[in-house]
DNA sequence: TGTGCGCTTTGATCCAAATCAACCGGCGGC
DNA sequence: GCCGCCGGTTGATTTGGATCAAAGCGCACA
C-alpha cells in the first residue's frame, strides 16, 4: 500500500525494474499529489529523498511550533490539522486524505499540529532537499503553488462557514465537501465515509459535540441523510443538502 | 503616489532616466510586494505589463465569479475581500493594505469579491502575461508561493478566531493584527489606523455591528484602548490585549 | 446655520447553540 | 459472560451574541 513497498506491476507494459528505481510509480495517490507533475528523472529525485512512515490513530505527526524540517504527503488514511488556544479550545483547520499535502510553513516552524485519525501512511520529504528539487524543477514549484492556491480557496470557504453559517448549514456544507473530495480520489460520491468522530467534526465546524449530534439527527429525521454502518453516511436528498449549504 | 507617476529621484545615486524605464522603482511598497524579488530586467518586464488604477471608496474592483483575468497588488489605501451567501450574509475574508497581493484563483474565476474601503491605488497585472514572466523568473514564482503560504497561515489563524474565540478575544486579536501589519509597512505600532467601519469589522470577525460596538466600548471602559479622532485607536495596555487575544 | 443622512452607540428582548447532566449501546479486556 | 469505558444521543437549562428598537452625533450640503 505504501510507496516504500512497491506493488508488482499490474500491466504488461510496465517494466518491474522501473518500479524498483521509482517506488513512487506504484503510489496509489500519485495522480492526486505533488508527484503528479513528475516524470522519470524528476520522480527519481523525489524518490531519493522520500521517507515513508505509518502512524496509528491518535498519533501526533508533528506539533504546532515544531521546527518545520519536512513536507508531507498523505498517501492513505485520514489526518487532521488543528490549532489550540491556551485553555484547550481547539480549531481543526482541515482533514487530509490520500493525495493531500501538508507541512507548508512560514518562519521555520509548523503553524498547526497534525494527528492521525485512522491508520495513516505518509511520505515525508526533508524540506532542505525538497527545496533543491524545487529549484531544479520549476514545474514542481508551480504545482506546489497551485496546491497552496487551492488550499487558500478552501480556507476562504471555511471562513464563510465558520463566520456566517448556521449549525445546519455547516453540517450540510461539511457532508457535501466530503462527498466531492471522495470523488476527486476516485471514490463514489455516495455513501460517504466519515472516519472522524462527532467531537472532531464539532471542532472543525465551530460547534460542540452535542450540537453536531443533534443536527445530524435533524438531517436524518428530515430524510436528507441516512446513517449507515461503518462510519458511513448516505446522502438521500443531495439537492436539499446543497440548498442548505448555500444558505437558501 | 502611484507607480504610474514616478516620483523624482530622492538621492544623488539614482539616475532619473532609470525611473522612466522602471516606474516601479519609485513604488512606495515595492519592498513589501511581489516586486521585492526583482531587479533591473525582471522589474522592467513587470513594468511593461502593469496597469495602475485608482478606485474610490465602495467601488468594486472585481467580483466573485468574474473571469480571473488579472492579478493585483495594492499600493495604497485599504481593500476588503469578501464572500456572500444567497441571502446577503457576508464574510469578509481579509483586509488589504499597501504591499498586499490579491487575485489568486482556481478554476479561472475569482473566489471572492474585492471592494475599496478608502481611496485605493492598485497595480494590475494581466494573468496571461504574468504567467510568462513567472516562467522566465523562478525567483518571482518562489516569491509568489511564499506570499500564498503566508496568506494560508493567516487564514488558519482566522479560522481559529472565527470558530473558537469570544467576541472580546476576536476584537483583541483584530486590533493586534492591525498593529503588527502597520509595523510591517513601516508605520508606528501605536496608535493604529482603523479605516473600516463597525459593520465591516463585524463581517470580518463573525459578529454584528452592535456586538463590535459594545465590545469596543468594553475595551475602552477597561482602559485597554482609547478611541482617537480620525479612525485611530490607541492601544493603552498591549499586554492585556495580547493575553485576551490568546484566550488567557 | 440648519437639516438630513449614515454611522455608532446604547437599551430591551430573544434565541441558537453552549453547557450541564443523564443515559444508551457497542466493544475490548478480564 | 460481565464490567467498565468511550463515543454518541437526548434532555433541561443557561447564556453570549443576535435581533429589534431608538437615540446620539458628526459631517456634508443647501
Amino acid at each position: 500500500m505504501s510507496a516504500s513497498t512497491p506493488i508488482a506491476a499490474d500491466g504488461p507494459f510496465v517494466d518491474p525494474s522501473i518500479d524498483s528505481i521509482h517506488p513512487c510509480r506504484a503510489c496509489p495517490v500519485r495522480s492526486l499529489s505533488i508527484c503528479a507533475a513528475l516524470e522519470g528523472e524528476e520522480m527519481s529525485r523525489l524518490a531519493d529523498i522520500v521517507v515513508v512512515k505509518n502512524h496509528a490513530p491518535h498519533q501526533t505527526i508533528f506539533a504546532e511550533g515544531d521546527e518545520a524540517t519536512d513536507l508531507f504527503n498523505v498517501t492513505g488514511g485520514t489526518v487532521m490539522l488543528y490549532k489550540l488556544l491556551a485553555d484547550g479550545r481547539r480549531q481543526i483547520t482541515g482533514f487530509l486524505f490520500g493525495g493531500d499535502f501538508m507541512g507548508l510553513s512560514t518562519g521555520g516552524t509548523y503553524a498547526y499540529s497534525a494527528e492521525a485519525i485512522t491508520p495513516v501512511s505518509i511520505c515525508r520529504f526533508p524540506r532542505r532537499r525538497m527545496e533543491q528539487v524545487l529549484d531544479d524543477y520549476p514545474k514542481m514549484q508551480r504545482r506546489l503553488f497551485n496546491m497552496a492556491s487551492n488550499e487558500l480557496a478552501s480556507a476562504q470557504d471555511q471562513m464563510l462557514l465558520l463566520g456566517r453559517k448556521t449549525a445546519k448549514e455547516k453540517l450540510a456544507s461539511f457532508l457535501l465537501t466530503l462527498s466531492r473530495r471522495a470523488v476527486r480520489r476516485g471514490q463514489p460520491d455516495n455513501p460517504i465515509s466519515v472516519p472522524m468522530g462527532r467531537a472532531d467534526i464539532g471542532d472543525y465546524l465551530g460547534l460542540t459535540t452535542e450540537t453536531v449530534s443533534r443536527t445530524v439527527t435533524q438531517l436524518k429525521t428530515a430524510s436528507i441523510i441516512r446513517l449507515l454502518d461503518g462510519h458511513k453516511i448516505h446522502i438521500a436528498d443531495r439537492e436539499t443538502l446543497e440548498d442548505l449549504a448555500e444558505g437558501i
Side-chain angles (χ1 to χ4, degrees), chain A residues 221-242:
Chain A
T221 306
S223 299
I224 296 168
I225 60 172
R226 272 187 303 136
L227 304 193
L228 309 180
D229 286 349
H231 295 277
K232 289 203 179 302
I233 293 183
H234 175 81
I235 299 176
D237 184 349
R238 183 175 293 261
E239 205 174 332
T240 300
L241 207 58
E242 278 166 349

Side-chain angles (χ1 to χ4, degrees), chain A residues 153-215:
Chain A
S154 37
Q156 284 152 355
D157 286 340
Q158 191 67 1
M159 287 189 226
L160 176 62
L161 179 150
L162 289 169
R164 290 299 180 215
K165 289 188 184 178
T166 66
K168 202 183 277 194
E169 289 163 357
K170 285 175 177 183
L171 246 301
S173 304
F174 175 65
L175 295 174
L176 286 171
T177 301
L178 282 187
S179 176
R180 294 186 190 120
R181 291 182 69 183
V183 171
R184 283 205 288 122
R185 298 196 304 280
Q187 293 172 11
D189 70 342
N190 206 8
I192 50 178
S193 163
V194 185
M196 65 293 288
R198 299 288 185 259
D200 292 340
I201 296 173
D203 280 349
Y204 181 61
L205 300 177
L207 300 171
T208 58
T209 305
E210 295 94 326
T211 300
V212 171
S213 181
R214 278 185 242 275
T215 308

Side-chain angles (χ1 to χ4, degrees), chain A residues 40-242:
Chain A
E41 183 196 342
E42 304 171 343
M43 195 154 55
S44 76
R45 280 286 297 276
L46 264 198
D48 285 346
I49 65 172
V50 74
V51 179
V52 180
K53 263 196 129 177
N54 294 312
H55 294 269
H58 305 297
Q59 214 180 329
T60 295
I61 299 159
F62 57 81
E64 182 177 350
D66 283 359
E67 196 194 345
T69 54
D70 297 276
L71 297 169
F72 305 83
N73 206 51
V74 177
T75 55
T78 305
V79 171
M80 65 175 174
L81 309 181
Y82 63 93
K83 293 171 78 82
L84 294 174
L85 287 174
D87 61 0
R89 277 173 287 170
R90 182 178 67 154
Q91 178 65 39
I92 293 181
T93 58
F95 293 112
L96 272 54
F97 306 96
D100 290 332
F101 194 80
M102 64 183 181
L104 292 184
S105 77
T106 46
T109 59
Y110 297 117
Y112 46 77
S113 304
E115 185 178 313
I117 288 182
T118 65
V120 158
S121 74
I122 287 179
C123 291
R124 176 184 286 249
F125 304 95
R127 173 179 299 272
R128 227 16 112 62
R129 298 214 215 163
M130 186 74 171
E131 276 170 2
Q132 284 170 6
V133 178
L134 288 182
D135 282 340
D136 294 347
Y137 300 106
K139 198 194 287 182
M140 268 194 65
Q141 175 87 15
R142 176 70 70 105
R143 173 98 184 144
L144 207 56
F145 174 64
N146 286 335
M147 294 179 82
S149 297
N150 283 328
E151 266 195 76
L152 206 46
S154 37
Q156 284 152 355
D157 286 340
Q158 191 67 1
M159 287 189 226
L160 176 62
L161 179 150
L162 289 169
R164 290 299 180 215
K165 289 188 184 178
T166 66
K168 202 183 277 194
E169 289 163 357
K170 285 175 177 183
L171 246 301
S173 304
F174 175 65
L175 295 174
L176 286 171
T177 301
L178 282 187
S179 176
R180 294 186 190 120
R181 291 182 69 183
V183 171
R184 283 205 288 122
R185 298 196 304 280
Q187 293 172 11
D189 70 342
N190 206 8
I192 50 178
S193 163
V194 185
M196 65 293 288
R198 299 288 185 259
D200 292 340
I201 296 173
D203 280 349
Y204 181 61
L205 300 177
L207 300 171
T208 58
T209 305
E210 295 94 326
T211 300
V212 171
S213 181
R214 278 185 242 275
T215 308
V216 167
T217 302
Q218 280 179 47
L219 294 175
K220 190 181 61 181
T221 306
S223 299
I224 296 168
I225 60 172
R226 272 187 303 136
L227 304 193
L228 309 180
D229 286 349
H231 295 277
K232 289 203 179 302
I233 293 183
H234 175 81
I235 299 176
D237 184 349
R238 183 175 293 261
E239 205 174 332
T240 300
L241 207 58
E242 278 166 349

